[in-house]
Amino acid sequence: MRLKLWRESEAVLFTLPALIPLLIFWLGPLGYIVYLSFTDWDFMSPDKLFVGLDNYSYLLTNSEFYRSLKVTLLFGLGSVIPTIVGGLALAMLMNSKIKSSGIFRTLLFSPWVTPTVAVSIAWSWIFEPEVGLANLMLGWAGVSPIGWLRDADWALVAVLIVTLWKSIGWAMVFYLVALRNLPSDLLEAASIDGANGWDKFRSITLPLISPTTFFLSIILTIQSLQAYDQINVMTQGGPAGSTRTLLYMYYQSAFESFNVGEASSIAVVIILICVLLSGVSFLLGRRLVHY
């Protein structure tokens, strides 16, 4: 009995260095955010007025909340799926032993290590309607100029283009490692059996790289929910709220309207969405991921 207690105490002691920062920097603030979501506070008043579920009731009856939720979902779908598909396509191209692939890999990965603010400023110039490079190139193709960041129908597309440009090279690196770890004897055996390229990709490559796809889908989904820099620099949530995600709505409520209670309730909703999407991903992963 004493030996068992000693071993359990020993395990707790070894995990304390990881548990203490987790409690201080994650669980503690999380609990405080949940508490603030039940209050009415403006950052400056010494007292926080307890209002119960009023912030959540207001949120659930606010049309702007549902609009931001829709933008968040569109941004998530528009960034996660193309990043995974584009990253895999580029990885397969880089894995085909083309000349100077190292230079191409470096160029494709370089956006990921560039600060998002700098990237967003550069793309704001590219999307400038009057003298920007994007409309100049469209003009060469005979296409009429687009308002990009000033047009509510195109602003989210412009933000997605920047997000994809930055993320696809990063996803490519993970897929490249996964493709190079594929067992060559299995692919050779399939070739001997008469399988063509598509059959090998569908029946061998995709199942064997499914853990990488699962990892990327989780990380990219969380990143899409946390997207802020490019939206703040390029559109500030506009025009007319067309690029205002839930996280940007949280920022506006907390630091522009100084409504901390409402902002905290939005933060709690974002956390719940993260938990829900992660749970769905893990349930799907049990069926679709092959380890």
Side-chain angles (χ1 to χ4, degrees):
M1 186 67 182
R2 285 184 177 179
L3 182 61
K4 184 180 178 182
L5 286 173
W6 167 247
R7 285 180 176 173
E8 289 179 352
S9 303
E10 198 175 35
V12 171
L13 285 174
F14 277 115
T15 53
L16 270 181
L19 284 176
I20 291 174
L22 186 71
L23 289 170
I24 295 175
F25 298 111
W26 192 71
L27 290 178
L30 177 61
Y32 191 57
I33 284 287
V34 173
Y35 162 69
L36 288 178
S37 70
F38 297 113
T39 65
D40 181 11
W41 187 42
D42 60 2
F43 265 131
M44 289 167 274
S45 303
D47 299 323
K48 303 176 183 65
L49 179 64
F50 185 79
V51 295
L53 296 172
D54 285 1
N55 288 321
Y56 292 97
S57 299
Y58 172 74
L59 209 60
L60 295 175
T61 55
N62 186 357
S63 61
E64 289 302 316
F65 167 74
Y66 291 103
R67 184 175 185 182
S68 297
L69 180 62
K70 179 183 175 183
V71 172
T72 303
L73 294 176
L74 288 175
F75 183 82
L77 290 172
S79 61
V80 173
I81 296 174
T83 300
I84 288 176
V85 174
L88 177 57
L90 286 176
M92 295 191 71
L93 187 64
M94 294 295 114
N95 198 41
S96 60
K97 297 180 181 178
I98 62 172
K99 288 183 179 179
S100 306
S101 63
I103 297 174
F104 289 122
R105 287 200 303 271
T106 304
L107 290 174
L108 290 168
F109 184 72
S110 59
W112 181 254
V113 296
T114 308
T116 307
V117 172
V119 168
S120 303
I121 292 173
W123 276 92
S124 297
W125 295 336
I126 293 172
F127 287 132
E128 210 288 324
E130 306 296 333
V131 294
L133 182 62
N135 277 349
L136 180 65
M137 294 177 69
L138 288 177
W140 293 341
V143 179
S144 302
I146 295 173
W148 294 113
L149 303 178
R150 300 178 189 176
D151 189 332
D153 294 329
W154 284 96
L156 186 61
V157 176
V159 175
L160 279 171
I161 289 173
V162 177
T163 306
L164 294 175
W165 180 80
K166 186 172 171 58
S167 306
I168 281 182
W170 176 76
M172 176 199 70
V173 172
F174 284 92
Y175 274 126
L176 202 54
V177 174
L179 290 174
R180 292 187 174 176
N181 286 329
L182 290 177
S184 56
D185 54 343
L186 198 59
L187 295 170
E188 290 171 4
S191 298
I192 293 172
D193 289 339
N196 57 31
W198 170 248
D199 291 334
K200 287 190 285 185
F201 175 74
R202 181 171 55 86
S203 304
I204 298 176
T205 303
L206 274 183
L208 291 181
I209 64 172
S210 57
T212 303
T213 304
F214 177 65
F215 167 77
L216 288 175
S217 63
I218 294 284
I219 298 298
L220 289 170
T221 300
I222 293 173
Q223 285 179 355
S224 72
L225 290 170
Q226 296 176 340
Y228 170 78
D229 292 349
Q230 62 270 52
I231 295 172
N232 189 38
V233 172
M234 297 176 71
T235 63
Q236 294 83 48
S242 60
T243 59
R244 183 168 56 202
T245 60
L246 283 180
L247 187 65
Y248 202 80
M249 187 179 180
Y250 159 80
Y251 165 78
Q252 290 180 318
S253 297
F255 301 106
E256 293 181 4
S257 303
F258 299 104
N259 194 337
V260 180
E262 182 187 320
S264 300
S265 63
I266 297 172
V268 172
V269 170
I270 294 173
I271 293 169
L272 291 176
I273 292 174
C274 279
V275 172
L276 177 65
L277 292 178
S278 299
V280 171
S281 299
F282 276 102
L283 286 175
L284 290 176
R286 288 181 180 177
R287 294 184 178 183
L288 302 176
V289 179
H290 303 273
Y291 292 101

